[in-house]
Amino acid sequence: MTFLPYSRPVLDEEEIAEVVDTLRSGWLTTGPKVAQFEKDFTEFIGCKHALAVNSATSGLHLALEALGVGEGDKVITTVHTFTASAEVIRYLGGEPLFADIDPDTFCIDPEHVRRLLEEHSGVKCIIPVHYGGQAADMTALLALAKEFDVRVVEDAAHALPCTHNGRMVGTMSDVTVFSFYANKTITTGEGGMVVTDDEAIAKRVKTMRLHGINRDVFDRFTSKSPSWHYEVVAPGYKYNMMDMCGALGIHQLKKAHKFQQQRKYIAECYEKGFAGLPVETPGIVNPEDFHAWHIYALRLNLDELTISRDTFIEKLSEKGVGTSVHYIPLHRMPYWRDTYGLKDETYPQSTAVFNRIISLPNFASMTDDDINFVINAVREVATAHAK
Ligand SMILES: *Cc1c(COP(=O)(O)O)cnc(C)c1O
């Protein structure tokens, strides 16, 4: 039996050749390939600074650190995300406040954010997540940030490329962080990018990603002043990106738009293919905007089906279709639930959505046969178990 995985990275000969070139060059850690990748990234986004790191998690940590988030500071994020969006707040001793989501986009609900801002003093920052690659309501969130004088760090792990009313994600707020984890829209294996237009933030992130040293290793070995000399100005981290990863990033970035078009095509095929089934296809806010389509989350209409979401997933797996669920919300995770006393009732939208979502395969190298394989499997399971 053939099995179609949920996700598969798309790597071509040029990525392989670039990594081999890096291996032969004798320079493995942060160096010329990372510098090239960063330069290309600023042009791709249209931002001033792009700083490569070894993961988006590291990038989010550095972003909050650069904004001065510390002990007891409150930071608002969504429950409907990967734990990384919230754990970075705890790294710095901050206190997360969680908001529910918009039921159509699964992005943070600005009205809930407003209530949290009104109820709590000492909020320093908001971390919206562009769920699945569709931008959160940045117009509303940036207005709230201004009204309440808080900063915004975008978790753009899904959002390359992505726009909000024509504006590129990465150009709107204080800091934006992208992920190049193996299953993300482009990949460097592990990796991330911190993007900002703010000189001071960029400088701090650059220093803190490498031990708090105010001069990076590549600088030290290529500039005229003595290579042994450096200064430690803060207790930094070890979050720099390796050149082997930068080598992958250079070529992946060139294909980011092509990959997006392919994922969009898959979403369009699914939209047509699932017509008439007891399911809801993803809601689209502005069809003019770029949707990165990192996740294709199908919603089951459970009251029209005789089986649960979990059984639906089992049946798809029996038919050879790999799936996932994004996400088991944070208020259902023992650490977050128990530490912060989070309850299902506080997050009705996320709770309801969680019970009915399935993420379907939608990686850029899927063929028409693969797409039809998924459509047929979903159609068969839904039809066989319709009420
Ligand atoms: C993948 C992901 C991250 C973390 O990215 P890494 O590069 O693996 O650290 C953060 N937030 C969200 C929403 C993600 O999906």
Side-chain angles (χ1 to χ4, degrees):
M1 190 189 83
T2 54
F3 192 86
L4 184 75
Y6 168 65
S7 172
R8 190 188 279 151
V10 185
L11 297 165
D12 301 310
E13 287 307 316
E14 55 264 30
E15 278 90 337
I16 294 167
E18 198 74 48
V19 172
V20 170
D21 181 67
T22 305
L23 295 174
R24 293 196 200 285
S25 77
W27 194 280
L28 302 184
T29 187
T30 315
K33 309 280 184 186
V34 167
Q36 182 67 49
F37 183 33
E38 289 178 335
K39 183 169 170 287
D40 295 350
F41 209 85
T42 56
E43 281 159 22
F44 185 95
I45 298 292
C47 61
K48 287 207 183 106
H49 307 279
L51 297 143
V53 285
N54 61 0
S55 74
T57 308
S58 314
L60 289 165
H61 183 191
L62 292 172
L64 294 185
E65 200 276 341
L67 291 178
V69 171
E71 207 62 39
D73 287 332
K74 292 172 188 143
V75 178
I76 298 173
T77 192
T78 160
V79 284
H80 209 85
T81 186
F82 185 56
T83 192
S85 315
E87 75 194 19
V88 294
I89 303 165
R90 295 295 304 130
Y91 290 1
L92 293 158
E95 291 300 322
L97 298 172
F98 294 99
D100 202 4
I101 51 168
D102 175 298
D104 282 323
T105 63
F106 311 171
C107 289
I108 195 165
D109 171 15
E111 280 312 306
H112 199 166
V113 173
R114 171 178 285 285
R115 290 203 302 278
L116 292 171
L117 286 166
E118 283 167 354
E119 284 163 18
H120 296 267
S121 58
V123 177
K124 200 131 189 185
C125 184
I126 307 169
I127 308 179
V129 178
H130 304 302
Y131 179 94
Q134 177 161 244
D137 186 350
M138 291 305 293
T139 304
L141 293 168
L142 291 171
L144 284 170
K146 199 167 174 196
E147 184 182 339
F148 290 88
D149 192 24
V150 298
R151 315 297 290 269
V152 176
V153 171
E154 292 167 72
D155 179 340
H158 304 173
L160 189 77
C162 172
T163 58
H164 169 72
N165 295 337
R167 292 174 72 191
M168 195 76 168
V169 165
T171 62
M172 288 177 275
S173 63
D174 295 294
V175 195
T176 303
V177 182
F178 296 90
S179 173
F180 313 126
Y181 180 67
N183 72 3
K184 296 286 157 73
T185 62
I186 70 167
T187 185
T188 61
E190 298 278 0
M193 194 72 81
V194 181
V195 156
T196 184
D197 279 349
D198 185 306
E199 198 77 39
I201 293 172
K203 197 163 171 240
R204 182 70 181 178
V205 168
K206 198 170 181 200
T207 301
M208 294 306 279
R209 77 174 164 182
L210 198 72
H211 301 296
I213 291 172
N214 64 357
R215 200 178 160 198
D216 70 37
V217 185
F218 191 59
D219 264 3
R220 282 169 53 202
F221 284 90
T222 52
S223 79
K224 286 189 197 69
S225 50
S227 66
W228 54 265
H229 189 265
Y230 63 87
E231 285 175 320
V232 173
V233 296
Y237 308 99
K238 185 65 167 64
Y239 283 169
N240 55 306
M241 176 183 274
M242 295 194 289
D243 249 23
M244 285 172 290
C245 299
L248 292 174
I250 291 167
H251 295 281
Q252 288 275 296
L253 187 63
K254 290 195 205 334
K255 291 179 269 199
H257 281 293
K258 190 182 89 183
F259 288 167
Q260 186 272 343
Q261 279 162 19
Q262 287 166 333
R263 290 189 302 268
K264 184 174 182 220
Y265 168 72
I266 296 166
E268 285 162 1
C269 293
Y270 284 169
E271 178 73 27
K272 289 188 211 112
F274 300 146
L277 296 182
V279 298
E280 252 184 290
T281 52
I284 293 169
V285 177
N286 180 354
E288 302 289 305
D289 268 323
F290 274 114
H291 186 321
W293 287 110
H294 170 56
I295 293 169
Y296 186 95
L298 189 69
R299 284 168 285 184
L300 304 178
N301 293 341
L302 292 174
D303 48 2
E304 299 170 52
L305 289 163
T306 58
I307 54 173
S308 68
R309 185 273 315 277
D310 295 6
T311 311
F312 205 105
I313 284 178
E314 274 169 39
K315 303 273 175 205
L316 285 179
S317 174
E318 284 164 16
K319 291 186 183 293
V321 175
T323 57
S324 192
V325 172
H326 297 97
Y327 290 94
I328 306 168
L330 298 185
H331 64 274
R332 291 282 186 92
M333 291 295 179
Y335 171 74
W336 299 113
R337 182 192 60 209
D338 300 344
T339 310
Y340 295 96
L342 308 180
K343 296 192 173 64
D344 279 2
E345 306 87 84
T346 318
Y347 310 100
Q349 303 297 352
S350 173
T351 304
V353 153
F354 166 62
N355 287 324
R356 52 188 293 238
I357 41 174
I358 303 179
S359 303
L360 298 176
N362 70 332
F363 50 93
S365 62
M366 281 174 74
T367 63
D368 280 338
D369 282 349
D370 292 336
I371 298 168
N372 288 326
F373 183 67
V374 176
I375 291 173
N376 288 334
V378 170
R379 292 202 71 86
E380 281 165 22
V381 175
T383 318
H385 302 280
K387 267 186 191 158

